[in-house]
Amino acid sequence: MIDPAFWRDKKVLITGHTGFKGAWLCLWLHDLGAKVTGYALSPPTNPSIFECAQISSLVDSIIDDVRSKESVQKAINQANPDIIIHMAAQPLVRLSYQYPAETFEINVMGTVNVLEAARVAVQDGMKIKAIINVTTDKVYENREWVWGYREQDVLGGYDPYSNSKACSEQVTASYRNAFFHPDQYHQHGVAVATARAGNVIGGGDWAMDRLIPDCLSALIKGETIVIRNPKAIRPWQHVLEPLKGYLMLAEKMWANGKDYSESWNFGPNEEDARSVEWIVRQLCERWGAGARFEAERTEPQWHEAKYLKLDCSKAKGVIGWKPNWSLEQTLDSIISWQKAYQRKQDVREICLAQIAAYTNEAK
């Protein structure tokens, strides 16, 4: 499990801190006593968990573009971080079809800018100990296998989003090999890893064109939920699951960087890879009276994988990470979060209460 003593007063730079996952991570790290600097564009949605939870009052928030090499360098110099967790991205598959060039600029060159700025900072004497690039479960060449993809499987990516994240993995591998090679760890002292997770769900996600936000929006309005790919199977997990993985990985990298400078999968247990239709049916049952759904009658405009699972044996066996919550518990937590929000409860307290419940269950 996570060691709170490790994180106390650690300087952590998070790119993408205004997004859904980034906001949850900021809250968790602040609660652990870390000194957090965030670097990102303004929140991508309105409302946003970043603004509702007033996270800017908890962290040193820098609003800027990861595509700006100079701004990224300035932010790293200012933060002087012990640990960098790079999460800034264009994260939506369907949006990547509309804006492919922008998706590659953000997801590939954004990664280059972060790693290059870190390289220059280390060269100038800064003591960065660990860098984690957060990618996605979609980096693999999807062959519609019924078994999970392992870290050594071939990278690919059909759509611009998935492919850009696979490219981000390759960029990270190049910087690790060329400048932060594990075999020379005793000289440079920097561990570099990638973390692959996807289909992350939880309270406070208002992103466009994502299953849970779309479902909740329809439920709140009393409308029929329309799902476009009901039979598609995905590795669904609560947002805290991969975040725990990133934190545990960072602790291991700090203690023994040479052995953890690799790629890591963080996904749910086998039984929690479920179809879109199963997820929506469960949400409707939990919501109660009036909840209903139907499949979209037109063919999907864009290609989407039908089957995707991760094999997380490495993270479980080597790091000691494992999921805390079943998918049923995750869906319960989402409905609970949403109804507390509708009752106008304090968003920060809602999140912190769920973080506490999650971590207590792991003890």
Side-chain angles (χ1 to χ4, degrees):
M1 194 52 192
I2 295 164
D3 178 10
F6 170 86
W7 291 99
R8 194 169 300 119
D9 294 326
K10 282 290 188 302
K11 293 178 292 183
V12 184
L13 173 67
I14 302 172
T15 70
H17 71 299
T18 59
F20 168 60
K21 286 175 70 177
W24 274 95
L25 183 56
C26 285
L27 284 170
W28 200 347
L29 281 171
H30 182 269
D31 197 48
L32 289 167
K35 297 178 178 178
V36 181
T37 298
Y39 180 97
L41 295 174
S42 297
T45 63
N46 183 21
S48 74
I49 190 170
F50 179 81
E51 292 183 332
C52 290
Q54 299 180 333
I55 291 172
S56 60
S57 67
L58 305 179
V59 306
D60 183 5
S61 181
I62 302 170
I63 303 301
D64 214 322
D65 197 326
V66 76
R67 289 172 290 183
S68 170
K69 178 181 176 181
E70 294 76 15
S71 296
V72 172
Q73 187 73 67
K74 182 180 178 181
I76 288 181
N77 292 343
Q78 176 182 320
N80 189 21
D82 301 309
I83 296 167
I84 297 174
I85 303 178
H86 174 45
M87 302 174 68
Q90 191 297 95
L92 301 174
V93 170
R94 296 229 288 185
L95 196 62
S96 77
Y97 279 104
Q98 299 174 49
Y99 304 103
E102 182 176 337
T103 298
F104 279 99
E105 287 170 4
I106 296 169
N107 295 352
V108 182
M109 290 311 299
T111 300
V112 171
N113 290 340
V114 170
L115 292 174
E116 177 63 10
R119 182 190 72 81
V120 171
V122 169
Q123 182 178 279
D124 291 342
M126 192 174 291
K127 301 297 183 183
I128 300 170
K129 289 274 288 181
I131 304 171
I132 299 175
N133 178 23
V134 175
T135 61
T136 174
D137 54 6
K138 298 174 181 64
V139 297
Y140 296 103
E141 182 180 324
N142 195 319
R143 301 179 183 179
E144 305 290 351
W145 285 335
V146 296
W147 56 85
Y149 292 92
R150 296 173 297 175
E151 287 84 351
Q152 67 266 35
D153 285 329
V154 176
L155 300 181
Y158 184 102
D159 57 86
Y161 166 73
S162 304
N163 190 271
S164 70
K165 282 296 196 174
C167 290
S168 178
E169 287 272 351
Q170 296 284 17
V171 167
T172 307
S174 176
Y175 265 81
R176 179 172 52 227
N177 290 335
F179 307 111
F180 304 119
H181 199 287
D183 290 347
Q184 280 80 53
Y185 180 75
H186 63 286
Q187 296 175 357
H188 55 73
V190 183
V192 179
T194 59
R196 301 165 181 174
N199 295 98
V200 172
I201 57 179
D205 186 3
W206 283 283
M208 58 174 280
D209 200 31
R210 278 170 54 83
L211 180 64
I212 299 299
D214 288 350
C215 288
L216 292 175
S217 176
L219 290 169
I220 291 166
K221 296 174 184 176
E223 298 173 351
T224 300
I225 298 169
V226 180
I227 51 177
R228 66 175 182 267
N229 203 354
K231 303 304 179 185
I233 292 175
R234 298 286 185 269
W236 312 96
Q237 59 184 331
H238 193 275
V239 62
L240 295 178
E241 304 284 17
L243 297 185
K244 178 180 71 172
Y246 310 158
L247 297 180
M248 291 180 70
L249 174 58
E251 291 181 25
K252 296 289 188 181
M253 293 166 71
W254 185 279
N256 191 355
K258 180 179 184 297
D259 292 343
Y260 294 91
S261 293
E262 300 176 349
S263 297
W264 302 86
N265 285 343
F266 297 103
N269 291 321
E270 176 86 13
E271 62 270 20
D272 286 334
R274 296 282 192 167
S275 71
V276 169
E277 182 176 358
W278 187 94
I279 291 284
V280 176
R281 191 179 300 279
Q282 293 291 318
L283 277 176
C284 287
E285 289 178 5
R286 284 163 170 77
W287 188 264
R292 59 195 184 276
F293 71 93
E294 64 181 30
E296 196 170 53
R297 291 183 173 84
T298 57
E299 286 296 313
Q301 183 178 1
W302 312 113
H303 170 273
E304 292 187 70
K306 294 180 175 62
Y307 207 97
L308 179 60
K309 291 201 299 185
L310 293 179
D311 183 329
C312 302
S313 301
K314 189 170 105 170
K316 292 176 179 178
V318 179
I319 297 176
W321 172 89
K322 64 177 181 179
N324 282 18
W325 283 350
S326 68
L327 188 50
E328 287 83 358
Q329 288 174 288
T330 292
L331 295 175
D332 286 339
S333 77
I334 292 171
I335 297 299
S336 173
W337 196 104
Q338 183 62 41
K339 296 203 168 181
Y341 175 76
Q342 288 180 258
R343 292 192 298 269
K344 301 188 183 305
Q345 290 182 220
D346 184 273
V347 168
R348 187 188 299 178
E349 293 306 317
I350 300 170
C351 294
L352 290 175
Q354 291 201 344
I355 290 171
Y358 177 87
T359 53
N360 287 336
E361 190 161 325
K363 293 178 180 178

